[in-house]
Structure formats: C-alpha cells, structure tokens
C-alpha cells in the first residue's frame, strides 16, 4: 500500500526580494508587503502541505566584496525579519504550519520563549522554529564568532532554556475558573533560574503554558554535530541527499541512530529531503530542458558561483576556475559543512577537480528517471520517484525549495499535486490540533 508522506515548502530566499531577476517579477507583487506571501500560503494549504519554512540570515557580511555579492542580485540580502511575517501567514490560513528561522545568537532566551509562546497561542499551535547556528552575524550582536561545534553547544543551551521557561508553569497552574474568579495558582509557577555558559536569566515566564505542547523544532545540518542536534531536539530535520533509495536509507539511519542515542524513536522525527523539481509538460520537453543545460556558458557559471558565494560566505568568483579549490584555505570554520558538501555535488572531494567542473555540475540538469540526482521530469515521473522513496525507503516526505511566489508555487505544483493526491501520497485533509497533530497524523 502506498505510504502518505509529509510535504513542506522551503522559502529559500527568506523574507526577501521574491521574483527578483526573474520574468515573473513583472507580475508586480511587492515583496515588502504581505499579499504575495499570504496568497502563496493559501495555495500551499489548498495543496495539502504541512508547513512553510522561512529561511533567514541575519547578516549580509561586512567586507565590500561579500556585501556586493549578496545584494547585487539579492542572493543573500536584503532580508526582513521572518518572525514579523509569520502572523500574516497565520491570518491567511487555518491549518498550514509556519516555521520561521531562529538564531540563538539573536534571541535572548526569555524574549524568545515569550515571543514564540505568544505566536503559538495566536496561531492555534501551528508555529515551529527552525534553529540555525549561523555565526556570521556575531559582530552585529557584540559577540565572538564561535567555531562550528561550539555554535551547536550554544544552540542546545538556548533550546534547553526555552523549554525550562515554557514549563515554569506546572500543568495545573492555569485555572481560569469564572466561578471562583481564580485565573492561576501562583504556588504552581516556579521562579526558575539559569546560569549557563552562554546565557543567564531568571524566570518564570509570564506567558500562559501551551496546551498542545512546545512549538515544533526543525533544524538543518548534515554534519555529525548537526545530526546529533537533530536527533536530540528536532521533530523535523531538513536533509540534503541524492533522492535514491540507498542514499535516503543511509541518511535516515544516521538520524535515527542519533535519536535512539537520546532515548527517542524514529516516529519522533520527520526527515524531509530538500527537493527542487522542474516539472515538464511531456517527456520530450524534459529531454529538451536537460540537453540545453549540458554545456553551460561562462555567464551561467558565474551566476552559479555568485549564488553559492552567498550561501558559503565565500567569494567563489575570486578563485581560478581552472584549478581545484582548497577547502581548508577557502572556507572558515563558520561555513556550514553541509553547504560545502552541497557544492561538491556528486564529487567525493575537491581534489583534482577544477572549480569550473564543480560549478558546471551545479548548472547541468538531469532527468529524474536517471537515478543520479536529476530533477527534471513529468509530473508522473516525479511522482514515481516520490512514491518509490516512500514505499521502498520509508521516506517521511520532502520539502520543496523556491521563492514563495504564486508563479513558482503553481509552476511546481499545478500538475504534481493531483497526481500525488490520486496516489494517496499527499494528504487530502488536516488533523485537528495544529502542526504537531499533522506531523503525527500518519
């Protein structure tokens, strides 16, 4: 029997200039206004998606070269605060989860716990938080840039602190009895204190407890430390992998082993693989799209380099394209190891591989039917792959990546949603109880 799967949308540009430098920019949506996002969120809910996750980066850098790379084509900035966008998406929908990105360096625990609890109440428990450990913004907050693993240590202390505050009210502290006129029992609210390595604060939290449980925690990161963090904390793990049965099984095993080491079960965490398909109207069109990409121009290679430079916080255009890249010299400790692996693609290492070939590999497209990581196919072909991942690799689902723009949403989903729904892969209704209930409804 075909397994239903979970689907999310990854707002990969963050709350930024959606549609910029694309023809659909001429639809005249203002990215600074909520309308474009509200329309797209309603469409995702109509499609049966579980959530939309909003990427964020707090810094556009400080060096002139990095600043220019990030803002010239809006790859890495400007970005507005995703937490200010979330209420507009909740107001436009009834079931869709919304998961903005939170960086522990930017949100003191008490402020974060209070703000997130308030949004969880306002949304009917549809809020999640995507916890990232980016340290490139440290100078904005007067803190030191932490090495990769120490940033995870800080994130763990931060999450533990939020949970301490969220549970500073006992389960029966809230009474709200109109007969006795007693709202809460102060003897069941604990004045918690935390004096940690990275944070110090006193409680209790002055927000009501959350009857449907803490907000859902999502996290990216494929490094050993990132996997351990997900195994301990996350209900959703954003994963990068080739979409074949063997690769999916291997990745899922790593995450499940990390969860088991923390006394959790595979059912406690949904592993969703990032996916950016190109849906073609026919097999012939799919073949044509792939052929056209096989010999990328210098302009296409530069566009790839500029886009990855923003993600890697490293100017790839400054390196010799015809020589191998030395990752130890090119990337600092703060650069995500998962992002570096993403740049490598199917290569095992940078050794002996000219940077030009690495970039060309990102520009070239493949057929989804070739089993080698291609993403171009008809709706039926793409659904075949998704179904096989669920049936043969027990895959939990996928998170589609792209602008949260109506044109992008419909270009990707118009033909695919009906096929997935007919096959029983995509939900045809929502559970009661918010995002957590939907994630555990099958």
């Amino acid at each position: 029997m075909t397994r239903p799967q979970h689907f999310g949308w990854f707002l990969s540009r963050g709350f930024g200039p959606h549609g910029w430098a694309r023809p659909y920019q001429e639809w005249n949506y203002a990215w600074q206004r909520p309308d474009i996002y509200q329309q797209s969120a309603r469409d995702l809910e109509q499609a049966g998606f579980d959530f939309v996750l909003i990427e964020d980066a707090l810094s556009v850098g400080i060096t002139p070269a990095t600043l220019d790379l990030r803002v010239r084509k809006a790859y890495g900035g400007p970005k507005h605060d995703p937490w200010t966008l979330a209420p507009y998406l909740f107001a436009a929908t009834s079931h869709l989860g919304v998961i903005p990105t939170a960086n522990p360096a930017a949100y003191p625990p008490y402020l974060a716990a209070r703000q997130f609890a308030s949004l969880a109440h306002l949304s009917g428990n549809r809020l999640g938080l995507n916890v990232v450990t980016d340290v490139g913004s440290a100078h904005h907050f007067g803190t030191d840039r932490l090495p990769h693993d120490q940033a995870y240590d800080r994130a763990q202390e931060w999450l533990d602190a939020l949970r301490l505050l969220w549970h500073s009210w006992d389960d029966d502290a809230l009474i709200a009895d109109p007969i006795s006129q007693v709202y809460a029992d102060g003897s069941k609210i604990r004045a918690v204190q935390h004096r940690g390595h990275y944070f110090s604060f006193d409680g209790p939290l002055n927000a009501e407890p959350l009857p449907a449980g803490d907000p859902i925690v999502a996290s990216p990161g494929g490094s050993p430390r990132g996997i351990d963090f997900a195994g301990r904390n996350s209900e959703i793990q954003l994963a990068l992998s080739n979409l074949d049965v063997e690769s999916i099984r291997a990745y899922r095993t790593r995450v499940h082993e990390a969860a088991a080491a923390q006394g959790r079960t595979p059912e406690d965490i949904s592993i969703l693989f990032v996916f950016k398909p190109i849906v073609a109207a026919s097999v012939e069109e799919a073949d044509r799209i792939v052929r056209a990409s096989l010999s990328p121009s210098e302009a296409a290679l530069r566009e790839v380099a500029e886009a990855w430079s923003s993600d890697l916080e490293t100017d790839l255009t400054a390196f010799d394209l015809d020589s191998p890249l030395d990752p130890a010299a090119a990337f600092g400790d703060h650069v995500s190891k998962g992002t570096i692996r993403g740049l490598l693609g199917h290569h095992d290492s940078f050794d002996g591989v000219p940077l030009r070939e690495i970039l060309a590999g990102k520009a070239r497209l493949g057929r989804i039917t070739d089993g080698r990581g291609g993403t171009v196919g008809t709706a039926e072909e793409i659904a075949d792959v998704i179904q096989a991942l669920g049936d043969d690799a027990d895959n939990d689902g996928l998170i589609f990546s792209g602008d949260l723009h109506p044109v992008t949403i419909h270009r990707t989903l118009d033909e695919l949603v009906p096929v997935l729904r007919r096959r029983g892969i995509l939900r045809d209704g929502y559970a009661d109880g918010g995002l957590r209930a939907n994630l555990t409804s099958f």
Side-chain angles (χ1 to χ4, degrees):
M1 181 178 177
T2 297
R3 298 178 69 252
Q5 298 183 45
H6 297 287
F7 293 91
W9 190 275
F10 180 38
L11 176 46
S12 55
R13 193 188 291 263
F15 184 6
H18 290 257
W20 184 256
R22 297 290 184 265
Y24 51 85
Q25 171 187 340
E26 304 303 328
W27 274 86
N28 289 339
Y29 286 103
W31 73 266
Q32 305 90 340
R33 301 287 299 161
D35 311 68
I36 181 175
Y37 310 103
Q38 289 180 310
Q39 180 176 334
S40 298
R42 283 190 290 265
D43 290 343
L44 288 174
E45 184 169 89
Q46 185 72 28
F49 273 50
D50 289 84
F51 62 86
V52 57
L53 188 148
I54 311 172
E55 180 270 351
D56 191 32
L58 295 166
S59 178
V60 289
I62 54 175
T63 66
T66 301
L67 279 165
D68 186 60
L69 276 172
R70 287 185 167 177
V71 302
R72 182 188 300 175
K73 292 186 178 179
Y75 284 122
K79 291 180 189 287
H80 292 180
D81 187 346
W83 291 92
T84 63
L85 178 61
Y88 291 95
L89 303 187
F90 289 133
T93 56
S94 300
H95 303 283
L96 186 73
V98 178
I99 308 178
T101 294
N103 187 331
Y107 291 90
Y110 188 91
L111 174 65
R114 186 170 186 254
Q115 178 177 329
F116 302 161
S118 301
L119 284 171
H121 280 291
L122 286 168
S123 67
N125 299 296
R126 291 188 284 139
L127 177 75
L129 47 146
N130 177 44
V131 181
V132 300
T133 56
D134 163 55
V135 296
S137 58
H139 57 281
H140 296 309
F141 303 98
T143 59
D144 294 330
R145 174 176 279 193
L146 297 178
H148 179 272
D149 284 4
Q150 287 184 33
Y152 274 107
D153 293 339
R154 179 174 60 186
Q156 187 62 61
E157 182 181 333
W158 182 80
L159 258 185
D160 290 343
L162 264 60
R163 290 164 175 153
L164 183 67
L165 287 164
W166 283 330
H167 296 278
S168 59
W169 290 48
D170 291 341
D171 292 340
D172 56 350
L174 181 63
I175 298 173
D177 179 14
I179 303 300
S180 66
Q181 296 289 291
V182 174
Y183 198 81
D185 183 348
S187 69
K188 297 179 179 179
I189 302 174
R190 285 163 286 105
V192 299
Q193 290 185 327
H194 177 82
R195 302 292 183 268
H197 185 77
Y198 298 101
F199 304 103
S200 295
F201 61 85
D202 295 334
L205 193 65
N206 72 336
E208 284 191 6
L210 299 167
D214 298 348
I216 288 291
V217 172
S219 66
S223 68
R225 191 68 173 86
I227 294 291
D228 288 344
F229 183 85
R232 178 172 178 175
N233 299 287
S234 301
E235 285 91 3
I236 297 172
Q237 208 261 345
L238 278 67
L240 293 173
S241 172
N242 288 334
L243 296 184
D244 61 82
V245 170
E246 183 177 346
S247 298
I248 297 296
R249 280 178 176 166
Y251 193 104
R252 285 170 55 79
T253 296
R254 291 172 59 205
V255 177
H256 289 159
E257 288 176 347
Q262 300 295 330
R264 304 175 73 203
T265 69
E267 290 73 26
D268 292 328
I269 183 168
S270 294
I271 306 165
L272 302 187
F273 292 86
V274 179
F275 188 34
K276 196 170 185 177
I278 298 173
V279 184
S282 66
V283 170
E284 292 75 20
E285 181 185 3
D287 292 338
R288 178 187 60 77
I289 291 171
V290 170
R291 284 196 303 271
S293 75
L294 295 182
S295 299
S297 65
E298 291 296 314
L301 293 180
R302 182 172 182 83
E303 184 174 355
V304 172
E306 289 177 335
W308 279 88
S309 294
S310 177
D311 291 342
L312 290 162
E313 303 181 56
T314 306
D315 184 4
L316 294 180
T317 66
F319 296 98
D320 180 4
L321 294 188
D322 295 309
S323 299
L325 191 69
D326 178 2
F331 307 121
D333 288 342
H334 63 284
V335 178
S336 163
K337 292 178 174 56
T339 305
I340 295 173
R341 278 195 297 275
L343 175 65
L344 274 172
H346 67 274
H347 297 284
D348 293 328
S349 74
F350 293 98
D351 294 343
V353 184
L355 180 56
R356 178 183 301 278
E357 180 59 28
I358 298 285
L359 298 176
K362 311 310 294 184
R364 295 183 187 116
L365 301 172
R367 293 283 274 113
I368 199 165
T369 54
D370 65 14
R372 298 191 298 273
T375 59
V376 183
T378 66
E380 293 285 350
E381 289 173 338
I382 293 170
D384 286 343
V385 171
I386 295 173
Q387 182 171 348
L389 294 179
D391 293 346
D392 300 333
D394 294 327
N395 189 41
D396 297 315
L398 299 169
I399 179 166
F400 290 77
S401 175
D403 281 356
L404 193 64
H405 190 294
V407 171
T408 310
I409 298 289
H410 286 279
R411 180 180 292 159
T412 305
L413 300 181
D414 274 355
E415 295 185 39
L416 187 56
V417 163
V419 178
L420 294 175
R421 187 161 284 153
R422 284 196 297 268
R423 298 188 186 195
I425 300 171
L426 177 63
R427 70 166 66 250
D428 197 18
Y430 289 94
D432 294 328
L435 179 54
R436 185 180 301 278
N438 285 321
L439 288 174
T440 57
S441 60
F442 52 77

